[in-house]
Structures are given as C-alpha cells and as structure tokens.
Amino acid sequence: MKEIENISRRKFVKTLGKYSTVLILAVHLPSKVVFSKNKNTPDVFNPNLFVFLYPDGNCELVVTRSEMGQGVRTSLSSIIADEMDADWSYVKVIQAEGNPKYGNQNTDGSRSVRTLFMPLREIGASVREMLIEAAAIKWGIPVSSCIAEKHYVYQKGTSEKIFYGDLVEPASKITPPKKIRLKKPKDFNYIGKALKSVDVKEITNGTATFGLDIRLPGMQYAVIARPPVTYGSVIRYDKQESEKVKGVSDIFEIPRIKGPFGPLGGIAVVADTTWTAMEAIKKLKTDWKAGPNGTYDTDKFMETLTKRVLNSAKVVKQVGNTKQAFQGATKIIKSTFRLPHLAHVSMETPNTVAIVTKDTCTIWSPTQAPQRVRKDAAKYLGIPENNVTVHVTLLGGGFGRKSQVDFALEAVIISKKTGKPVQVVWTRENDIRHDYYHTISAQHLEASIDEKGNTTGWLHRLAFPSISSIFRPGTEYAAPWELASGATNLPFNIPNIQVENAKAEAFVRIGWLRSVCNIFQGFAINVFADELSYAAKYDPLEYRLKLIGPDRKINFGNQSFNLNTSRLKNVLKIAAKNIEWGRSLPKGYGMGLAVHYSFLSYVAAVVLVKVEQNKITVEEISMAVDCGQTINTDTIKAQMEGSAIFGMSLAFYGKISVKNGVVQQNNFNNFLLTRMPQSPKVNVQIVENHEAPTGIGEPGVPVIAPAIVNAIYAVTGKRYRSLPLSDHQLTF
Amino acid sequence: MISFYLNGKSQSISADPKMPILWILRDVLNFTGTKYGCGAGLCGACTVLLDGNPIRSCITPISFAEGKQITTVEGLEKENSDLLDNWQKENVPQCGFCQSGQLVTAAAFLQNNTNPGDDEIEIAMSGNICRCGTYSRIKKAIKETIKGRG
C-alpha cells in the first residue's frame, strides 16, 4: 500500500502565490487529510506542516502525537530527520496543537509509528530533495551530481559543500519534487538506532512541562467531588464549611455531560491553590443519588459472568466441528479464567488548564486525543472549533486513560463559569475511583487431545463488558475487534475451533488500558496452552511450537495484514534460548513461557521464578520482540522493560473491586504497584528485519502475567487461573 | 512569615503553616519540578530534601521547614551533576513524571552510602513508584554514579 502521494500541486501553488513552495500530500489514514503549507518567509524554509529550517541551521520538526513515555516525540521526529539528512543536533521538536490539519492525532492503539512511518519518511525525503535542488542550482550543476549528508549538500566526489542553513532562501523557491526517492535501510542514520529521548534533559533537571506544571497569571485551581457511583448525581449539598476555608473563591455544581467522554458532574471547589481546594472539598456535605449502578458488586458479577461462560453462548467463530472433535478425544481439558477490573493510575493524575473567554477557549492538556478535546470543548461552548486552541503538554503516563477527555471538559466548564484561567486537578483518589476501567472478564476454555497428544478441538467462551458500552449504553456483547485480541485470531494449528461470546453488562465506564483485551485473552490462552502441554505430556516450549504449527501467514478475515507464524515461533525460540530454557534449576526455581501477537507485533516472554512457601520472586524475564523495522531500538527495549513491570503489577496486585456501586480502592496503599525490590532483570532481544514497523507501546504487556503463572506451576504444580495472585495468599 | 532556604536561596512567605511543602513549592513559588502523585506519602513523587534528608513534601507542613534548607530536583545539579549525567546516559525516564522524586531520593541515598549493595539500593528506592517501570535503568544509573565517585 502506498501511503502517500502528491496531488494537484499546481492548483494549490496557483492559489498561494509566487513564493509558495507547497508540498501537498494526501495521507491515507483513517480520514483522508491534505497536508498544506503554513507560511514561508526568507527567514524560514517551511515547505510543509512538519519542517521549519532556519538560516542558523536549526530545524524544528513537528510531532503530532502525544508523548506519554513511549518515546514518540523522539521516534517520529527522527524519521523525518533521517530522510531529510538532517543533523540530529540541530533538531528541536515542536509539539503540534490539536488540529485536524495534522491528520489523526489520537495517540492510541500502538499505531503512531505504524501509521506515520511512510508519510513522515516521504515528508523528510521531499525536503531533502528540495535542498539538493537548491544547491545544484547555486552551483549550476545537475541534481544528480549532488548528495545530502548531515545538514550539508555536497558536490559528489569533491569537498565542496553548502550548509542547510544557507539554503533556506533558495530552497524556498523550489517546487516540491513530483517523485520522492526514499533512502535504502542501509543508509539510515537514525532509524533503527538508539537515540536518547529528546526530553531527557528537561525531565531530569525538573524543567519539563507536564499538564500539572502549567502555570498562568491569575490561574486558579479546582478540585471536584464526583458522584461515588458511576452516573450517580447530586441530591443536595451544603457548602457552608467549605466556603470558610481561606482562599476558596467559588463552589458550584457542574453538570454531567452525557456521551462517551462526558464529565461525570459533581461539585467543583475553586481556590487559590490546589491544597486549599483539596482541604475545602473535604468539608463539603453532599447527598448523592446512586442511580442504577448503585447495586454493582464485582464479586457477585464475577459469579454471574462465570455462570454465563459455563453455558453455551453466541458463536462468533467456528472452524471445523468442535463438538465432533470433543467426542473423539482421549482427553478433555477444561479451565475457567477470571480477571478483575484494573485502573490506569498514571503517575500524573488527570488534569487540564482552560481559559474561556466570550468566544475563545485555550486549553493545555496532557491528552492522548487533542482533537477530541477541541471538538468537545467547541461543542460545549457553542463556538467554532477554530476558536479553540489545544496545547498538548507532556503526559505523565497515559496508558489509555488520557484518551478520554472528560477531565479536559471539566476545566472548560469551570473556566466558563468563573471567567478565569483554571487548572482542574484530579486527586489520586479521584483518579482511582472515577477511571474508565479495564474490563472485568470470565473465560472458559475447553480442548480435546487425541492419543498422540495433538490438540484436536478448542473452545473459547468469553464474557466481559465491552468498551462499546461507553458509546452505546446497554451494549451487552463484545465488539469484533475486542474478540480479536487472541480469541478469534488464535494462531494455533487446531482443526476445530469455536469461539463464543456471552453477554456482559457494564456498570462502570469501561476504557482502553494498555494492551486492552489482549490482557485477559493473552492470559487465558497462554495459561491454557501450558495446561495442554502437561496434559499431552510434552515440554511446554515444544508443545507451544507444535500448537502454532507450520510456517504460514494467517489472515483473519477483513484485515489488511497477516499473522506470520514463523515470526511468532521465532520470538518464542529466542526468548527461550536467551534464558536457557530446559536447563536444570535449583529446587524452588522454575520457568514459564508465553507468546502473543498484538498490535501487529510478536512478543514472547520466558520468566524465571523462585518460590519459597508463599513468596514468589520473579528473578529474571527474557523477552523477544519482532516489531518489524525498528525506529529507536532503545525505546523498544524500554517499552519491553516497562511492559514487564506493568505486567507484573497486574499479575501480583491489580484489582479494582466495586461494592454497592462504589470503587473500594483509592490510593497506592490499596491499589499496589510493582516497586524496585521486586523488579527483575529483564533481557530484551529485538528481531531485526525490514518488515513494516508495528506497535511497541502495548504488545509487551500481555505475555508477562501468564508466563509468571506458568512458571509458578512448573515449581509448585499449582495452577492459578485468576488474578491478581495476591488473592491467592501469595506475596512478592 | 515562614522563612527557609530553597535550593540555597532564602525565601520568606506568608502562608497557612499547615500547607504541605509540595503545594508551597508548586502553587505558591511555581517550582513545579516536584510532583504530586498521591498526597499521602505513598509514591515518592514529591520527594524533596529537608536539610539533606529525603521527605515526602505532600504530607510535610511548611512550618517544618522554618529555618531549614529545602532542596528540590531543580537544585540537584550543583552537587549531583554526575547523577543527572548518568540518568541521561542510561536514558532512564519514560514519561518522566516520577523521575524528580527518584533523583532526589537517589541523591540523598548516595550522600550517605558510598559503596552500597544492590539490596541497599533497592530498599532505599522502594518508596518511589514508577508506573512506566524504569527501575532497572534507575538502578543502573545509581550504580554508575557510585562507580564514578569511586
């Protein structure tokens, strides 16, 4: 698929005048977008929306996606810099405002590099071609006699060179090339190498600006008391005591806005400092109406979901005849898996600054979805989108939570009311109690094994509230993409497969959490496959390779990409080899493995654990990842290391429980996370190839928990089919 | 009036003596390098040094700082430039939000421990949560700093 093409340049040049050197690019992203130029003066060469080159050589590159630790500001800018043969030391990254002119800016689904790799290469390459042409004209030689390298254009075979900065004016008169030549991978300077984060210095000296760090003259701080039960409401409130707190300026009710990303409503306290607002809100006396979600009890609901997956349900995939396979089996294995709701708990709680005037709105938000913020703010205020400016700050973690814009709209609502700049700050308690939670799930798997140890039939039945429920309240069944997180895209060579989906209502807001439905599907499939190995009397690694079967590319229906089983097996073999799978281990030690395909990437993990009575220590994790063409190898490594810790947190502790509609956890003392003493050695091997680049932020997560559970089984013979492990009286 | 030193400079402010140091720094003095993570002394994101000792600024009232030295991440450069360099060399941060607390904690630890073992580093750093999971790199940067200080 060619992702970018030049279109009707002449038409645009005509309309923009003599100095216009417009690069019009149509990018085939979900919505077709035309990239047009901004401005062009002799002081800057700005041939497209992404590149600003100045006479001193400084080069500003625009990044349109949000940075939340996944390294996107570095990786996306390095792609442009590489193709334009820029010297990295001249590059400064500019964070794009939320604006549809940039194409899709939603930073989610581990797809920033995946979707922008080719468009950004072409943008960089077109700039390089223009600079070369400008130099060639200056020298009066053919373009073919020139070559660009690290911020200079050279005359081939001589030491004659011109600095990029000296080409700003002449390049501004060059028309963009009709045909763009891309580099060969062997000529990449930055792509596929390890670059440090462009923000590392500011982060380590404390000057980096996260959403919570925005400070404006006259800015106030707001904290909100929201209904304890999802979609509950205020019956009455008494603000007398709160108003007495010195520094409090306003206390008022804000409405719930219906819709997938609407604020929950509640009572807002506006004050001169965050702490004042936090203190004042404690003195508020509010009667809440629970509403229909007031009976939600996760323990009871888990029982309901479990019952549902033990009975036949809606068939969503059928290959061969599972019933027949089960009838002719030597052995039938059955297991049921249960995973709880999870919260995102990014270290930076949700927050946003807004200034609303009569007909404009300016927002600073740590958001994964700046265009959604812009659109919803404009809609709420009843002003044109063009009057809303959304600045994207650094995100102190996102993990999917900051794709929702409820917290940004709260700031808009409050600033509109007060007429002053305001920063809405979520307390940690607010964050954990009013999240868009990872779903709760029950899964039942059954498989038949014949006398030779082959798995002949596979049944996977799932029940979990769908993310669709925030868009369409009342949704009871999963969306196809949710089921294709392992269940309906099972890469096993089994002749009879059936997948069924049982109904599950949503009683809290369900959202995307890093790797989403791959968490529970990857868990169940990897643990169950391990169980089958033992039932078939095979080594788990050998059996897993047998289950995946021969090399082949599988297309699961309406998808433009194939799952390549040889790449899947390869990462598993590498991860196993690097930790010496099969070696003899001291008593109390054991290994477990998992391999999963998600976000188009292939990731395997083999975990070495030590078990002493009830204490589990993860000693070492060996990971291997194949994400196609690498962009920043250090980022890939970091994302795998981080995924290991994220996966351990959900394996050990992660659980949001709800009673009478109220979330029972509220801070780090009861929603625990992995800390340094538990942090194992993580070894990551990256498979190098030139396949299309695929996701990296999320696909490392799903393999960790099942590999740990399988390793514990290898030591103890105990199989834990529900998480977190702390519910099984284990310590870490 | 409450008087103290912030990164070596004297400061005098009038504020509610109960207000935690964190919010004095962030909302009164606009020193935003120190972060809010939990407000309950559980995550370490707000760690600053009070007369050289690491404290949780989110639960420590400003009155405790009277006459004392507060050191924040913005003030680490002077005596811990090697630590910051190693942090950058290992490319430690991911989102970066917890890192100022991690750095301040590490700086205090290294001041009192010239040749710590892995276990000691882990225990010293156990009060600081990193949701992105940068622990192995933090440990490496600390160990490199120890090596460099010989």
Side-chain angles (χ1 to χ4, degrees):
Chain A
M1 185 179 72
K2 187 158 170 52
E3 300 206 85
I4 200 164
E5 61 188 28
N6 290 351
I7 56 152
S8 59
R9 182 174 54 79
R10 190 177 298 160
K11 191 173 139 200
F12 278 84
V13 171
K14 220 188 262 173
T15 53
L16 288 170
K18 171 166 128 181
Y19 278 105
S20 306
T21 53
V22 191
L23 179 63
I24 305 294
L25 298 164
V27 178
H28 295 277
L29 299 179
S31 64
K32 201 171 182 178
V33 175
V34 175
F35 289 173
S36 64
K37 74 173 287 288
N38 272 353
K39 57 175 182 190
N40 221 337
T41 71
D43 296 336
V44 57
F45 174 44
N46 173 217
N48 55 55
L49 283 173
F50 293 80
V51 180
F52 295 79
L53 180 68
Y54 296 93
D56 58 6
N58 284 327
C59 182
E60 293 175 349
L61 300 178
V62 175
V63 165
T64 59
R65 299 296 171 100
S66 304
E67 179 64 65
M68 46 188 158
Q70 84 283 38
V72 78
R73 278 164 54 88
T74 310
S75 55
L76 294 186
S77 54
S78 76
I79 294 168
I80 304 177
D82 199 324
E83 280 290 356
M84 75 173 270
D85 276 312
D87 181 334
W88 188 241
S89 64
Y90 284 99
V91 170
K92 188 185 166 201
V93 173
I94 304 295
Q95 189 68 38
E97 291 170 5
N99 194 312
K101 71 182 177 184
Y102 293 116
N104 184 352
Q105 288 179 270
N106 290 350
T107 310
D108 58 19
S110 295
R111 67 182 124 217
S112 295
V113 162
R114 171 152 60 96
T115 53
L116 293 174
F117 182 61
M118 287 309 286
L120 294 181
R121 283 182 71 190
E122 300 217 4
I123 280 162
S126 70
V127 176
R128 179 234 303 145
E129 299 286 290
M130 292 164 83
L131 290 163
I132 287 178
E133 196 181 331
I137 291 168
K138 233 178 167 176
W139 282 322
I141 61 172
V143 163
S144 58
S145 303
C146 301
I147 188 166
E149 203 188 317
K150 294 260 170 93
H151 247 64
Y152 285 91
V153 180
Y154 289 84
Q155 281 189 31
K156 274 184 196 167
T158 77
S159 58
E160 279 295 303
K161 59 179 182 179
I162 305 181
F163 183 55
Y164 270 12
D166 296 330
L167 292 168
V168 163
E169 201 183 342
S172 296
K173 293 169 188 159
I174 304 294
T175 52
K178 288 208 178 78
K179 230 178 112 191
I180 294 166
R181 294 176 306 152
L182 294 180
K183 279 184 170 179
K184 292 194 173 68
K186 68 173 175 55
D187 297 323
F188 288 151
N189 288 324
Y190 312 120
I191 295 169
K193 308 288 190 319
L195 286 179
K196 293 204 190 321
S197 159
V198 294
D199 300 306
V200 70
K201 200 169 169 215
E202 288 74 16
I203 286 171
T204 46
N205 68 21
T207 58
T209 307
F210 297 89
L212 275 175
D213 300 333
I214 298 293
R215 292 291 176 270
L216 301 172
M219 190 179 89
Q220 298 183 309
Y221 300 84
V223 176
I224 300 168
R226 298 172 190 78
V229 176
T230 305
Y231 304 143
S233 55
V234 179
I235 297 170
R236 69 183 77 82
Y237 69 104
D238 175 355
K239 60 183 179 179
Q240 223 174 7
E241 292 303 310
S242 302
E243 275 176 333
K244 286 183 193 160
V245 177
K246 198 176 156 236
V248 170
S249 54
D250 289 286
I251 299 176
F252 48 83
E253 187 175 347
I254 62 166
R256 176 190 167 204
I257 296 179
K258 287 194 178 180
F261 310 114
L264 290 166
I267 314 297
V269 175
V270 185
D272 58 351
T273 72
T274 315
W275 182 71
T276 314
M278 284 174 173
E279 288 297 292
I281 214 156
K282 287 181 198 159
K283 300 178 194 291
L284 210 57
K285 293 186 193 92
T286 313
D287 292 335
W288 304 100
K289 188 181 164 193
N293 295 323
T295 56
Y296 188 37
D297 180 310
T298 42
D299 286 347
K300 284 185 191 150
F301 190 56
M302 187 61 97
E303 283 172 34
T304 305
L305 293 180
T306 305
K307 270 184 215 147
R308 286 179 188 165
V309 294
L310 291 174
N311 291 294
S312 53
K314 187 173 93 173
V315 176
V316 292
K317 178 177 175 139
Q318 197 168 26
V319 176
N321 188 329
T322 309
K323 205 179 265 178
Q324 223 162 46
F326 285 8
Q327 278 164 2
T330 308
K331 269 186 197 167
I332 302 273
I333 313 296
K334 297 180 182 186
S335 289
T336 306
F337 299 86
R338 282 174 281 246
L339 272 71
H341 284 299
L342 299 170
H344 298 77
V345 289
S346 49
M347 290 311 293
E348 181 198 32
T349 54
N351 68 86
T352 291
V353 171
I355 312 175
V356 176
T357 67
K358 192 168 149 274
D359 47 14
T360 70
C361 176
T362 311
I363 294 168
W364 287 260
S365 186
T367 175
Q368 294 176 238
Q371 292 172 7
R372 193 176 285 153
V373 171
R374 192 169 181 253
K375 202 171 156 189
D376 287 8
K379 194 177 157 200
Y380 175 76
L381 296 169
I383 61 175
E385 268 190 57
N386 281 337
N387 296 15
V388 181
T389 307
V390 179
H391 301 285
V392 180
T393 66
L394 289 178
L395 283 66
F399 312 115
R401 173 61 180 96
K402 291 169 182 166
S403 289
Q404 285 91 8
V405 304
D406 53 337
F407 55 91
L409 282 186
E410 287 173 342
V412 173
I413 293 168
I414 294 169
S415 179
K416 181 177 167 60
K417 180 110 178 170
T418 61
K420 292 176 188 157
V422 70
Q423 179 172 62
V424 163
V425 178
W426 285 46
T427 65
R428 178 60 62 198
E429 290 80 2
N430 294 159
D431 173 51
I432 294 181
R433 292 217 149 137
H434 305 292
D435 199 356
Y436 281 74
Y437 300 98
H438 172 71
T439 195
I440 182 173
S441 63
Q443 299 171 84
H444 182 71
L445 284 101
E446 294 185 14
S448 53
I449 295 177
D450 69 12
E451 70 283 356
K452 289 181 200 137
N454 298 309
T455 298
T456 53
W458 175 281
L459 171 72
H460 189 171
R461 202 178 284 135
L462 313 90
F464 59 95
S466 169
I467 291 174
S468 303
S469 60
I470 63 169
F471 298 93
R472 289 180 299 283
T475 298
E476 291 182 329
Y477 288 92
W481 72 266
E482 291 178 303
L483 293 163
S485 306
T488 56
N489 58 345
L490 185 76
F492 293 166
N493 189 30
I494 301 172
N496 306 289
I497 297 174
Q498 184 152 319
V499 182
E500 298 176 17
N501 184 208
K503 81 169 183 177
E505 312 83 338
F507 301 100
V508 289
R509 302 188 295 182
I510 307 294
W512 304 276
L513 182 140
R514 192 179 192 182
S515 89
V516 202
C517 299
N518 291 285
I519 291 174
F520 58 90
Q521 292 173 37
F523 180 78
I525 290 164
N526 274 291
V527 174
F528 193 59
D530 200 65
E531 294 186 55
L532 298 184
S533 321
Y534 288 95
K537 299 193 168 62
Y538 270 78
D539 166 75
L541 174 62
E542 198 188 333
Y543 199 70
R544 187 63 64 91
L545 295 169
K546 179 178 153 76
L547 270 177
I548 298 169
D551 291 355
R552 64 202 187 281
K553 289 175 182 169
I554 317 173
N555 193 300
F556 294 99
N558 57 349
Q559 287 163 343
S560 59
F561 44 86
N562 297 312
L563 187 157
N564 185 330
T565 56
S566 90
R567 293 171 75 183
L568 192 67
K569 288 184 291 181
N570 187 39
V571 290
L572 182 55
K573 286 180 201 162
I574 292 169
K577 182 167 172 264
N578 288 348
I579 199 168
E580 297 175 68
W581 174 268
R583 73 180 140 112
S584 72
L585 295 166
K587 196 170 173 290
Y589 287 77
M591 284 189 195
L593 64 85
V595 60
H596 193 70
Y597 168 81
S598 60
F599 306 93
L600 279 62
S601 290
Y602 306 81
V603 180
V606 181
V607 171
L608 174 66
V609 300
K610 179 171 79 178
V611 184
E612 303 156 290
Q613 291 171 333
N614 286 336
K615 186 172 191 301
I616 309 293
T617 308
V618 174
E619 294 281 327
E620 192 178 338
I621 302 183
S622 167
M623 298 183 82
V625 52
D626 179 349
C627 56
Q629 170 70 54
T630 57
I631 310 305
N632 187 341
T633 51
D634 192 62
T635 295
I636 296 168
K637 201 165 161 275
Q639 285 304 298
M640 290 302 121
E641 292 164 359
S643 293
I645 302 297
F646 201 95
M648 283 171 66
S649 290
L650 73 91
F652 290 171
Y653 309 113
K655 182 179 186 176
I656 288 292
S657 48
V658 184
K659 288 212 181 331
N660 298 318
V662 179
V663 170
Q664 300 298 293
Q665 291 71 26
N666 62 3
N667 211 320
F668 293 121
N669 57 327
N670 47 33
F671 192 84
L672 303 184
L673 297 171
T674 311
R675 292 173 184 253
M676 193 189 277
Q678 297 145 338
S679 163
K681 182 179 158 203
V682 180
N683 175 55
V684 179
Q685 185 172 333
I686 302 166
V687 176
E688 299 279 353
N689 61 45
H690 298 303
E691 301 283 339
T694 53
I696 205 63
E698 299 173 86
V701 173
V703 288
I704 302 301
I708 292 170
V709 163
N710 292 342
I712 295 171
Y713 179 82
V715 182
T716 65
K718 280 186 198 144
R719 186 67 75 179
Y720 297 106
R721 299 188 186 87
S722 70
L723 295 180
L725 292 171
S726 55
D727 274 3
H728 300 282
Q729 281 72 52
L730 298 174
T731 62
F732 317 95
Chain B
M1 270 313 215
I2 299 164
S3 299
F4 52 91
Y5 296 88
L6 176 55
N7 298 327
K9 282 186 190 155
S10 73
Q11 297 272 357
S12 282
I13 53 158
S14 68
D16 185 336
K18 292 197 300 299
M19 190 185 289
I21 293 172
L22 173 69
W23 301 113
I24 296 286
L25 292 171
R26 292 186 55 81
D27 294 0
V28 178
L29 301 171
N30 287 349
F31 269 68
T32 55
T34 307
K35 306 302 185 196
Y36 165 75
C38 67
L42 299 166
C43 77
C46 68
T47 308
V48 300
L49 304 182
L50 194 60
D51 278 353
N53 300 312
I55 56 137
R56 299 290 185 250
S57 69
C58 71
I59 50 170
T60 310
I62 189 64
S63 58
F64 280 47
E66 176 68 49
K68 292 183 181 165
Q69 301 270 359
I70 299 174
T71 309
T72 68
V73 68
E74 291 96 337
L76 282 189
E77 180 73 40
K78 209 170 137 198
E79 286 173 14
N80 291 279
S81 60
D82 55 342
L83 182 66
L84 299 186
D85 286 348
N86 285 317
W87 225 262
Q88 291 170 20
K89 214 170 90 195
E90 298 301 329
N91 204 20
V92 172
Q94 287 186 28
C95 87
F97 194 81
C98 74
Q99 298 292 333
S100 52
Q102 305 274 6
L103 276 157
V104 170
T105 306
F109 172 68
L110 290 174
Q111 221 149 37
N112 304 319
N113 296 273
T114 48
N115 193 20
D118 276 24
D119 286 2
E120 290 170 86
I121 298 174
E122 286 172 9
I123 290 163
M125 300 303 296
S126 65
N128 291 72
I129 296 176
C130 174
R131 181 58 157 155
C132 300
T134 64
Y135 299 124
S136 59
R137 292 184 187 220
I138 291 173
K139 208 197 288 183
K140 206 165 165 212
I142 291 173
K143 286 166 89 168
E144 287 298 312
T145 307
I146 294 163
K147 234 190 267 172
R149 290 183 186 184

PDB file of all heavy atoms in Angstrom, chain B residues 13-24:
ATOM      1  N   ILE B  13       7.785  33.584  53.096  1.00  0.00           N
ATOM      2  CA  ILE B  13       6.431  33.648  52.549  1.00  0.00           C
ATOM      3  C   ILE B  13       5.418  33.672  53.680  1.00  0.00           C
ATOM      4  O   ILE B  13       5.681  33.176  54.777  1.00  0.00           O
ATOM      5  CB  ILE B  13       6.111  32.436  51.643  1.00  0.00           C
ATOM      6  CG1 ILE B  13       6.403  31.135  52.384  1.00  0.00           C
ATOM      7  CG2 ILE B  13       6.881  32.476  50.331  1.00  0.00           C
ATOM      8  CD1 ILE B  13       5.660  29.985  51.815  1.00  0.00           C
ATOM      9  N   SER B  14       4.283  34.258  53.383  1.00  0.00           N
ATOM     10  CA  SER B  14       3.204  34.143  54.361  1.00  0.00           C
ATOM     11  C   SER B  14       2.217  33.137  53.800  1.00  0.00           C
ATOM     12  O   SER B  14       1.732  33.267  52.678  1.00  0.00           O
ATOM     13  CB  SER B  14       2.538  35.500  54.590  1.00  0.00           C
ATOM     14  OG  SER B  14       1.845  35.896  53.438  1.00  0.00           O
ATOM     15  N   ALA B  15       2.007  32.108  54.566  1.00  0.00           N
ATOM     16  CA  ALA B  15       1.107  31.043  54.108  1.00  0.00           C
ATOM     17  C   ALA B  15       0.576  30.306  55.317  1.00  0.00           C
ATOM     18  O   ALA B  15       1.103  30.455  56.428  1.00  0.00           O
ATOM     19  CB  ALA B  15       1.863  30.073  53.212  1.00  0.00           C
ATOM     20  N   ASP B  16      -0.475  29.555  55.097  1.00  0.00           N
ATOM     21  CA  ASP B  16      -1.003  28.681  56.145  1.00  0.00           C
ATOM     22  C   ASP B  16       0.124  27.723  56.549  1.00  0.00           C
ATOM     23  O   ASP B  16       0.635  26.980  55.706  1.00  0.00           O
ATOM     24  CB  ASP B  16      -2.193  27.900  55.567  1.00  0.00           C
ATOM     25  CG  ASP B  16      -2.891  27.050  56.612  1.00  0.00           C
ATOM     26  OD1 ASP B  16      -2.243  26.696  57.631  1.00  0.00           O
ATOM     27  OD2 ASP B  16      -4.071  26.732  56.410  1.00  0.00           O
ATOM     28  N   PRO B  17       0.530  27.753  57.822  1.00  0.00           N
ATOM     29  CA  PRO B  17       1.660  26.895  58.229  1.00  0.00           C
ATOM     30  C   PRO B  17       1.379  25.404  58.023  1.00  0.00           C
ATOM     31  O   PRO B  17       2.309  24.604  57.970  1.00  0.00           O
ATOM     32  CB  PRO B  17       1.855  27.223  59.713  1.00  0.00           C
ATOM     33  CG  PRO B  17       0.629  27.952  60.142  1.00  0.00           C
ATOM     34  CD  PRO B  17       0.030  28.581  58.927  1.00  0.00           C
ATOM     35  N   LYS B  18       0.100  25.049  57.888  1.00  0.00           N
ATOM     36  CA  LYS B  18      -0.258  23.639  57.690  1.00  0.00           C
ATOM     37  C   LYS B  18      -0.084  23.206  56.228  1.00  0.00           C
ATOM     38  O   LYS B  18      -0.116  22.026  55.915  1.00  0.00           O
ATOM     39  CB  LYS B  18      -1.716  23.390  58.103  1.00  0.00           C
ATOM     40  CG  LYS B  18      -1.965  23.535  59.592  1.00  0.00           C
ATOM     41  CD  LYS B  18      -3.281  22.905  60.024  1.00  0.00           C
ATOM     42  CE  LYS B  18      -4.532  23.495  59.359  1.00  0.00           C
ATOM     43  NZ  LYS B  18      -4.782  24.940  59.620  1.00  0.00           N
ATOM     44  N   MET B  19       0.046  24.187  55.328  1.00  0.00           N
ATOM     45  CA  MET B  19       0.099  23.808  53.917  1.00  0.00           C
ATOM     46  C   MET B  19       1.349  22.956  53.645  1.00  0.00           C
ATOM     47  O   MET B  19       2.450  23.337  54.026  1.00  0.00           O
ATOM     48  CB  MET B  19       0.099  25.032  52.999  1.00  0.00           C
ATOM     49  CG  MET B  19      -0.099  24.627  51.534  1.00  0.00           C
ATOM     50  SD  MET B  19       0.038  25.977  50.338  1.00  0.00           S
ATOM     51  CE  MET B  19      -1.431  26.886  50.651  1.00  0.00           C
ATOM     52  N   PRO B  20       1.167  21.793  53.010  1.00  0.00           N
ATOM     53  CA  PRO B  20       2.331  20.944  52.740  1.00  0.00           C
ATOM     54  C   PRO B  20       3.358  21.665  51.856  1.00  0.00           C
ATOM     55  O   PRO B  20       3.006  22.468  50.992  1.00  0.00           O
ATOM     56  CB  PRO B  20       1.734  19.741  52.013  1.00  0.00           C
ATOM     57  CG  PRO B  20       0.312  19.697  52.466  1.00  0.00           C
ATOM     58  CD  PRO B  20      -0.092  21.142  52.623  1.00  0.00           C
ATOM     59  N   ILE B  21       4.621  21.334  52.085  1.00  0.00           N
ATOM     60  CA  ILE B  21       5.721  21.926  51.332  1.00  0.00           C
ATOM     61  C   ILE B  21       5.481  21.795  49.819  1.00  0.00           C
ATOM     62  O   ILE B  21       5.750  22.716  49.050  1.00  0.00           O
ATOM     63  CB  ILE B  21       7.052  21.256  51.741  1.00  0.00           C
ATOM     64  CG1 ILE B  21       7.394  21.619  53.197  1.00  0.00           C
ATOM     65  CG2 ILE B  21       8.196  21.671  50.803  1.00  0.00           C
ATOM     66  CD1 ILE B  21       8.584  20.854  53.770  1.00  0.00           C
ATOM     67  N   LEU B  22       4.946  20.633  49.415  1.00  0.00           N
ATOM     68  CA  LEU B  22       4.687  20.387  47.985  1.00  0.00           C
ATOM     69  C   LEU B  22       3.917  21.526  47.330  1.00  0.00           C
ATOM     70  O   LEU B  22       4.271  21.998  46.252  1.00  0.00           O
ATOM     71  CB  LEU B  22       3.887  19.084  47.814  1.00  0.00           C
ATOM     72  CG  LEU B  22       3.392  18.789  46.391  1.00  0.00           C
ATOM     73  CD1 LEU B  22       4.573  18.464  45.474  1.00  0.00           C
ATOM     74  CD2 LEU B  22       2.400  17.632  46.386  1.00  0.00           C
ATOM     75  N   TRP B  23       2.851  21.951  48.010  1.00  0.00           N
ATOM     76  CA  TRP B  23       1.977  22.957  47.379  1.00  0.00           C
ATOM     77  C   TRP B  23       2.539  24.365  47.490  1.00  0.00           C
ATOM     78  O   TRP B  23       2.256  25.218  46.660  1.00  0.00           O
ATOM     79  CB  TRP B  23       0.562  22.840  47.936  1.00  0.00           C
ATOM     80  CG  TRP B  23       0.005  21.471  47.677  1.00  0.00           C
ATOM     81  CD1 TRP B  23      -0.286  20.505  48.596  1.00  0.00           C
ATOM     82  CD2 TRP B  23      -0.259  20.888  46.385  1.00  0.00           C
ATOM     83  NE1 TRP B  23      -0.723  19.364  47.963  1.00  0.00           N
ATOM     84  CE2 TRP B  23      -0.720  19.566  46.616  1.00  0.00           C
ATOM     85  CE3 TRP B  23      -0.155  21.339  45.063  1.00  0.00           C
ATOM     86  CZ2 TRP B  23      -1.077  18.697  45.574  1.00  0.00           C
ATOM     87  CZ3 TRP B  23      -0.512  20.468  44.018  1.00  0.00           C
ATOM     88  CH2 TRP B  23      -0.963  19.174  44.285  1.00  0.00           C
ATOM     89  N   ILE B  24       3.351  24.590  48.539  1.00  0.00           N
ATOM     90  CA  ILE B  24       4.080  25.859  48.597  1.00  0.00           C
ATOM     91  C   ILE B  24       5.000  25.946  47.386  1.00  0.00           C
ATOM     92  O   ILE B  24       5.060  26.961  46.681  1.00  0.00           O
ATOM     93  CB  ILE B  24       4.895  25.959  49.910  1.00  0.00           C
ATOM     94  CG1 ILE B  24       3.967  25.971  51.119  1.00  0.00           C
ATOM     95  CG2 ILE B  24       5.828  27.177  49.874  1.00  0.00           C
ATOM     96  CD1 ILE B  24       3.217  27.264  51.334  1.00  0.00           C
TER      97      ILE B  24
END
